[in-house]
Amino acid sequence: MSTPTMSDTAPPTGRCYCGCGKLVGYGRYFAAGHDKTAEAAFLAIHHDGTVAQMLHAHGYGPDEKHSVTRAAVDKGLWQECPRGCGYRGARESINNHVNRYHHEK
């Protein structure tokens, strides 16, 4: 079997991708909450258990030049708050953010 590449799409198999063996619904990858279990195990194995180490390993860091959130915006995957406060997120997150923090009374 060949090693998957980053462009390969994981096929849903009907079993939880954390490896627990539980059956999951059609088109799903994880039993409820098991995505976080798998994520934590992956971070423990590959990045000393921290998101910061994972980001660092991929060239991201705390400054604007190496910002992972800036990269998501630059790739067109995320947006910036239209009110200019600096918040970045997915479209739905931006809508929620604006409604919560910039709601005009």
Side-chain angles (χ1 to χ4, degrees):
M1 181 170 170
S2 65
T3 303
T5 65
M6 291 294 285
S7 63
D8 288 339
T9 300
T13 64
R15 299 246 178 224
C16 183
Y17 255 63
C18 84
C20 70
K22 286 191 176 189
L23 294 175
V24 296
Y26 178 77
R28 297 191 56 189
Y29 294 95
F30 294 100
H34 290 213
D35 56 332
K36 290 299 181 183
T37 301
E39 181 180 45
F42 182 87
L43 286 173
I45 293 165
H46 297 285
H47 302 290
D48 297 326
T50 73
V51 173
Q53 291 302 322
M54 177 185 66
L55 293 174
H56 177 74
H58 289 275
Y60 299 108
D63 58 336
E64 181 67 11
K65 182 178 177 188
H66 299 101
S67 168
V68 69
T69 60
R70 163 58 51 209
V73 169
D74 290 348
K75 286 189 171 219
L77 303 170
W78 275 19
Q79 299 172 357
E80 290 197 29
C81 175
R83 305 291 176 107
C85 72
Y87 180 82
R88 298 172 182 147
R91 183 175 46 86
E92 298 81 13
S93 294
I94 293 292
N95 292 338
N96 291 336
H97 166 81
V98 169
N99 289 336
R100 184 171 187 181
Y101 295 105
H102 301 294
H103 183 71
E104 309 278 82
K105 294 185 179 186

